[in-house]
Amino acid sequence: MPLQIVTVPCLSDNYAYLVHDPASDETALVDAPESGPILQALAKRGWRLDQVLLTHHHHDHVEGLPAILAAHPARVTGAAADAHRLPPLDQEVAEDDHVSIGAERGRVIAVPGHTVGHIAFHFPDSGLAFTADSLMALGCGRLFEGTPEQMWDSLSKLAALPADTLVCSGHEYTLNNARWAMSVDPGNAALSERAERVRDARAEGRATVPSTLSEELATNPFLRAADADLKAAMDMKEAAPVEVFAALRRSKDAF
Ligand code: ZN
Ligand code: FE
C-alpha cells in the first residue's frame, strides 16, 4: 500500500507534509514550519505523529517543532552535518542512510547548496521525494551557503530519480518562479503551458506542489542547464552546464 501524503500550508508560503502509512498506521511529518496547521491536520484524520524528518535548519522549517513534540512525542531525524544548529535530534543521518515509515524505506540524499547540510528524502516504493528548498517547483533554493557546483550536483542527483517521482518541495513560490522561467526560456512550449496552469491554480487558491519530476525536467530552467535550447536562449551555447546553472541562479536572484 503506498504512503499517503497530506500537503499542509504553513506560515505565509511554506509547505509541510504528513506522510501516512495505512498498513502500520505510522505517520511522519516532513518539516515543522508552524504547529497550528500541522496539529489540526493530524487531529482531523485522527493520526498520531511518530516521527519528524527535518530537511534543513532554517527557522521556517523547524520553528513549530517544540509545540508539535509537546502534543506528539515523536522521534526527530535530521542531518548529522547540521546537528549543531538543528533542534535536538534522535537520529542523525547522512547521504545514503535510510529512514522508514512503517515498512517503507526511504533514502537520504545530501543536497547541499541552499544550506550545506540540506538533505532530501526519497521513498522509491511510493515514488515520493521531499526536497524542501533544494529542487522546488520551477525553481531551486537560493544559494545561501553552498556553491553553484554543489547545488548543480545536488539537483543532478534529484534529476536522476524516476521521472514519475512526486517532488514535494517546501514553498509556494511557483507563480514568481514561472514568470522568471518564461524570461529565460521563452521558447519552451511545455513551460508556457505549465505557467498558465500555475496562474489558474493560484487564482483559485490551490497549491502548485507537489509536482512531478517529469514536468520539472521539461520546464524547470535549473534542471535544463545542460539543454541545448536553453543554453542557446541564455547565449551560452559552449558553456558547461554548471556555468549555465550559475548564470540562471544569478538571473533569478536579480529578478
Ligand atoms: Zn531554507
Ligand atoms: Fe524555506
Side-chain angles (χ1 to χ4, degrees), residues 223-236:
L223 293 188
R224 288 170 43 73
D227 179 275
D229 293 337
L230 181 60
K231 283 169 113 174
M234 292 290 288
D235 215 2
M236 296 184 78

Side-chain angles (χ1 to χ4, degrees), residues 14 56 58 60-61 114 133 171 173:
N14 277 77
H56 66 297
H58 283 160
D60 61 315
H61 297 256
H114 179 66
D133 298 357
H171 288 271
Y173 290 163

Side-chain angles (χ1 to χ4, degrees), residues 33-178:
E34 185 184 14
S35 60
I38 292 166
L39 292 175
Q40 250 169 40
L42 284 163
K44 189 173 153 192
R45 291 161 183 85
W47 292 349
R48 92 178 167 257
L49 186 66
D50 300 286
Q51 53 174 317
V52 183
L53 305 176
L54 297 175
T55 61
H56 66 297
H57 74 284
H58 283 160
H59 70 93
D60 61 315
H61 297 256
V62 302
E63 211 158 60
L65 193 61
I68 292 167
L69 292 179
H72 298 262
R75 101 187 160 270
V76 181
T77 298
D82 269 342
H84 61 286
R85 53 182 182 175
L86 281 163
L89 301 176
D90 300 298
Q91 188 188 10
E92 297 181 11
V93 293
E95 173 101 329
D96 281 336
D97 282 346
H98 286 93
V99 293
S100 357
I101 305 175
E104 187 153 338
R105 254 156 66 102
R107 184 172 63 94
V108 174
I109 305 176
V111 287
H114 179 66
T115 66
V116 293
H118 199 308
I119 53 177
F121 300 93
H122 178 225
F123 292 87
D125 294 348
S126 292
L128 300 171
F130 297 93
T131 60
D133 298 357
S134 57
L135 175 60
M136 306 174 93
L138 284 176
C140 75
R142 231 176 233 270
L143 302 184
F144 285 120
E145 298 178 356
T147 62
E149 286 75 14
Q150 279 177 316
M151 185 60 119
W152 174 244
D153 184 56
S154 297
L155 294 180
S156 302
K157 289 193 255 180
L158 296 171
L161 297 178
D164 60 356
T165 303
L166 267 191
V167 178
C168 304
S169 51
H171 288 271
E172 184 57 67
Y173 290 163
T174 322
L175 188 57
N176 182 262
N177 288 350

Side-chain angles (χ1 to χ4, degrees), residues 163-240:
D164 60 356
T165 303
L166 267 191
V167 178
C168 304
S169 51
H171 288 271
E172 184 57 67
Y173 290 163
T174 322
L175 188 57
N176 182 262
N177 288 350
R179 291 190 183 117
W180 165 76
M182 296 283 289
S183 76
V184 291
D185 196 11
N188 184 339
L191 171 61
S192 350
E193 189 266 328
R194 184 177 180 191
E196 208 162 302
R197 278 190 287 124
V198 166
R199 275 192 296 273
D200 290 348
R202 293 313 293 153
E204 294 164 17
R206 283 184 285 116
T208 61
V209 306
S211 55
T212 62
L213 182 57
S214 59
E215 64 183 328
E216 297 306 332
L217 290 168
T219 58
N220 187 330
F222 292 116
L223 293 188
R224 288 170 43 73
D227 179 275
D229 293 337
L230 181 60
K231 283 169 113 174
M234 292 290 288
D235 215 2
M236 296 184 78
K237 272 187 190 166
E238 307 303 322

